[in-house]
Amino acid sequence: MSGDVHAGFCESRGVRFPPATHLVVHCDTEAKALALRAALAERLGSLGLELHPDKTKIVYCKDAKRRGTSEHTCFDFLGYTFR
């Protein structure tokens, strides 16, 4: 039974699934962040799940010591903006 069919079957019987889990992971290098994202994608794939392609991103949080550039330099999580 596919995941969608199974979820629909369970929900039709009153079973409620929790909302998707949101993760924030801190890495000290971009290389480690890329490797971790690949490992997470592989592990989730083995469970029939996938990372959301538009919502999954690596963010470079700039401060006085980190002055590099990146496509993404902030993100919102649980009502807070992290930079």
Side-chain angles (χ1 to χ4, degrees):
M1 182 179 298
S2 77
D4 291 338
V5 171
H6 181 70
F9 175 79
C10 292
E11 289 175 350
S12 71
R13 285 167 173 60
V15 176
R16 298 285 178 229
F17 290 97
T21 300
H22 297 89
L23 299 175
V24 174
V25 180
H26 179 268
C27 296
D28 57 357
T29 67
E30 183 178 16
K32 288 179 183 178
L34 291 168
L36 181 57
R37 182 173 63 184
L40 286 170
E42 182 178 340
R43 176 65 177 130
L44 290 173
S46 72
L47 300 170
L49 302 170
E50 61 185 23
L51 296 172
H52 192 287
D54 296 330
K55 295 182 180 181
T56 303
K57 56 188 166 189
I58 294 175
V59 178
Y60 181 75
C61 294
K62 298 170 77 169
D63 66 9
K65 295 180 183 178
R66 295 183 293 258
R67 298 179 183 259
T69 60
S70 178
E71 178 182 359
H72 305 287
T73 56
C74 67
F75 65 97
D76 294 326
F77 184 71
L78 298 176
Y80 295 95
T81 299
F82 293 85
R83 300 170 195 249

